[in-house]
Coordinates of all heavy atoms in Angstrom, one line a residue:
S55 N 104.2 97.6 91.1 CA 104.7 96.4 91.6 C 105.6 95.7 90.5 O 106.3 94.7 90.8 CB 103.5 95.4 91.8 OG 102.9 95.3 90.6
G56 N 105.6 96.2 89.2 CA 106.4 95.5 88.2 C 107.7 96.2 87.8 O 108.1 97.2 88.3
F57 N 108.4 95.5 86.9 CA 109.9 95.9 86.5 C 109.6 96.5 85.1 O 109.1 95.8 84.2 CB 110.7 94.7 86.4 CG 112.1 95.0 86.1 CD1 113.0 95.4 86.9 CD2 112.4 94.8 84.7 CE1 114.4 95.7 86.5 CE2 113.7 95.0 84.3 CZ 114.6 95.5 85.2
N58 N 109.7 97.8 85.0 CA 109.5 98.5 83.7 C 110.7 98.9 83.1 O 111.4 99.7 83.6 CB 108.5 99.7 84.0 CG 108.1 100.3 82.7 OD1 108.3 99.7 81.7 ND2 107.5 101.5 82.6
F59 N 111.2 98.3 82.0 CA 112.4 98.4 81.3 C 112.4 99.8 80.5 O 113.4 100.4 80.4 CB 112.8 97.2 80.5 CG 114.2 97.2 80.1 CD1 115.1 97.0 81.0 CD2 114.5 97.3 78.8 CE1 116.5 97.0 80.7 CE2 115.8 97.2 78.3 CZ 116.8 97.0 79.3
L60 N 111.2 100.2 80.0 CA 111.1 101.4 79.2 C 110.4 102.5 79.9 O 109.1 102.5 80.2 CB 110.4 101.1 77.9 CG 111.1 100.2 76.8 CD1 110.1 99.8 75.7 CD2 112.4 100.8 76.5
S61 N 111.2 103.4 80.3 CA 110.6 104.7 81.0 C 111.4 105.9 80.5 O 112.6 105.7 80.0 CB 110.6 104.5 82.4 OG 111.8 104.5 83.0
I62 N 111.1 107.0 80.9 CA 111.9 108.2 80.7 C 113.2 108.0 81.3 O 114.4 108.3 80.6 CB 111.2 109.4 81.0 CG1 109.9 109.6 80.3 CG2 112.1 110.6 80.9 CD1 110.0 109.8 78.9
K63 N 113.3 107.7 82.5 CA 114.6 107.6 83.2 C 115.5 106.6 82.7 O 116.7 106.7 82.6 CB 114.3 107.5 84.7 CG 113.8 108.7 85.4 CD 113.5 108.3 86.8 CE 113.0 109.5 87.6 NZ 111.8 110.0 87.2
T64 N 114.9 105.4 82.3 CA 115.8 104.3 81.8 C 116.3 104.7 80.4 O 117.5 104.4 80.0 CB 115.1 102.9 81.7 OG1 113.8 103.1 81.0 CG2 114.7 102.6 83.1
I65 N 115.5 105.3 79.5 CA 116.0 105.8 78.3 C 117.0 106.7 78.2 O 118.0 106.8 77.7 CB 114.7 106.2 77.4 CG1 113.9 105.0 77.0 CG2 115.3 106.8 76.1 CD1 112.5 105.3 76.4
T66 N 116.8 107.8 79.3 CA 117.9 108.8 79.5 C 119.1 108.1 80.0 O 120.2 108.4 79.5 CB 117.4 109.8 80.6 OG1 116.2 110.3 80.1 CG2 118.4 110.8 80.8
S67 N 119.1 107.0 80.8 CA 120.3 106.4 81.2 C 121.0 105.6 80.2 O 122.2 105.6 80.0 CB 120.0 105.6 82.5 OG 119.2 104.4 82.1
F68 N 120.2 105.1 79.3 CA 120.7 104.3 78.0 C 121.5 105.4 77.2 O 122.6 105.1 76.8 CB 119.7 103.7 77.2 CG 120.2 103.1 76.0 CD1 120.8 101.9 75.9 CD2 120.1 103.8 74.8 CE1 121.5 101.3 74.8 CE2 120.6 103.2 73.6 CZ 121.3 102.0 73.6
V69 N 120.8 106.4 76.8 CA 121.5 107.5 75.9 C 122.7 108.1 76.5 O 123.8 108.1 75.9 CB 120.5 108.7 75.6 CG1 121.1 109.8 74.9 CG2 119.3 108.2 74.8
T70 N 122.6 108.3 77.8 CA 123.8 108.9 78.5 C 125.0 107.9 78.4 O 126.1 108.3 78.1 CB 123.5 109.3 80.0 OG1 122.4 110.2 80.0 CG2 124.7 109.9 80.7
F71 N 124.8 106.7 78.8 CA 125.9 105.7 78.9 C 126.4 105.2 77.7 O 127.5 104.8 77.4 CB 125.6 104.6 80.0 CG 125.9 105.2 81.4 CD1 124.9 105.9 82.0 CD2 127.1 104.9 82.1 CE1 125.1 106.4 83.3 CE2 127.3 105.4 83.4 CZ 126.3 106.2 83.9
F72 N 125.3 105.1 76.6 CA 125.8 104.8 75.2 C 126.7 105.8 74.8 O 127.8 105.5 74.2 CB 124.5 104.6 74.4 CG 124.8 104.5 72.9 CD1 125.2 103.3 72.4 CD2 124.7 105.6 72.1 CE1 125.5 103.2 71.1 CE2 124.9 105.6 70.8 CZ 125.4 104.3 70.2
G73 N 126.4 107.2 75.0 CA 127.2 108.2 74.5 C 128.7 108.2 75.2 O 129.6 108.3 74.5
W74 N 128.6 108.1 76.5 CA 129.9 108.1 77.1 C 130.7 106.8 76.8 O 131.9 106.8 76.6 CB 129.8 108.1 78.6 CG 129.5 109.5 79.0 CD1 128.3 110.0 79.7 CD2 130.2 110.8 78.8 NE1 128.3 111.3 79.9 CE2 129.5 111.9 79.3 CE3 131.5 110.9 78.3 CZ2 130.0 113.1 79.3 CZ3 131.9 112.3 78.2 CH2 131.1 113.4 78.8
G75 N 130.0 105.6 76.6 CA 130.7 104.4 76.2 C 131.4 104.7 74.8 O 132.4 104.2 74.4
G76 N 130.6 105.3 74.0 CA 131.1 105.7 72.6 C 132.2 106.7 72.6 O 133.2 106.5 71.8
V77 N 132.2 107.7 73.5 CA 133.3 108.5 73.7 C 134.6 107.8 74.0 O 135.7 108.1 73.5 CB 133.0 109.6 74.7 CG1 134.2 110.5 75.1 CG2 131.9 110.6 74.1
F78 N 134.5 106.9 75.0 CA 135.7 106.2 75.5 C 136.2 105.1 74.5 O 137.3 104.9 74.4 CB 135.4 105.7 76.9 CG 135.3 106.8 77.9 CD1 134.2 107.0 78.6 CD2 136.5 107.6 78.1 CE1 134.1 108.0 79.4 CE2 136.4 108.7 79.1 CZ 135.2 108.8 79.7
W79 N 135.2 104.3 73.9 CA 135.6 103.2 73.1 C 135.2 103.2 71.6 O 135.4 102.3 70.8 CB 135.0 101.9 73.7 CG 135.6 101.6 75.2 CD1 136.9 101.3 75.3 CD2 135.0 101.7 76.4 NE1 137.1 101.0 76.7 CE2 136.0 101.4 77.3 CE3 133.8 102.0 76.7 CZ2 135.7 101.4 78.7 CZ3 133.4 102.1 78.1 CH2 134.5 101.8 79.1
G80 N 134.6 104.3 71.2 CA 134.2 104.6 69.9 C 135.2 104.4 68.9 O 134.9 104.1 67.6
D81 N 136.4 104.7 69.0 CA 137.4 104.7 68.2 C 137.8 103.3 67.7 O 138.6 103.1 66.9 CB 138.6 105.4 68.6 CG 139.2 104.9 69.9 OD1 138.6 104.1 70.6 OD2 140.3 105.3 70.3
R82 N 137.2 102.3 68.4 CA 137.5 100.9 68.0 C 136.6 100.3 67.0 O 136.5 99.1 66.8 CB 137.4 99.9 69.3 CG 138.4 100.3 70.4 CD 138.4 99.4 71.5 NE 139.4 99.9 72.4 CZ 139.6 99.3 73.5 NH1 138.9 98.4 74.1 NH2 140.5 99.9 74.4
G83 N 135.8 101.2 66.4 CA 135.0 100.8 65.1 C 133.7 100.1 65.6 O 133.0 100.5 66.6
L84 N 133.4 99.0 65.0 CA 132.2 98.1 65.3 C 132.2 97.7 66.8 O 131.3 97.6 67.4 CB 132.1 97.0 64.3 CG 130.7 96.4 64.3 CD1 129.6 97.3 64.2 CD2 130.7 95.3 63.3
A85 N 133.4 97.3 67.2 CA 133.6 96.7 68.6 C 133.2 97.8 69.6 O 132.7 97.6 70.6 CB 135.1 96.2 68.9
G86 N 133.7 99.0 69.3 CA 133.3 100.2 70.1 C 131.8 100.5 70.2 O 131.3 100.9 71.1
L87 N 131.2 100.4 69.1 CA 129.7 100.5 69.0 C 129.0 99.5 69.9 O 128.1 99.9 70.7 CB 129.2 100.3 67.5 CG 127.8 100.3 67.3 CD1 127.1 101.7 67.7 CD2 127.2 99.9 66.0
F88 N 129.5 98.2 69.8 CA 128.9 97.3 70.7 C 129.2 97.5 72.2 O 128.3 97.2 73.1 CB 129.3 95.8 70.3 CG 128.7 95.2 69.0 CD1 129.5 94.9 67.9 CD2 127.3 95.2 68.9 CE1 128.8 94.5 66.7 CE2 126.6 94.9 67.7 CZ 127.5 94.5 66.6

Side-chain angles (χ1 to χ4, degrees):
S55 63
F57 180 84
N58 188 13
F59 197 64
L60 291 176
S61 70
I62 299 297
K63 288 180 176 66
T64 59
I65 291 170
T66 300
S67 66
F68 174 83
V69 169
T70 303
F71 281 83
F72 170 78
W74 285 117
V77 166
F78 291 115
W79 294 289
D81 59 350
R82 297 185 181 177
L84 194 56
L87 175 66
F88 286 123

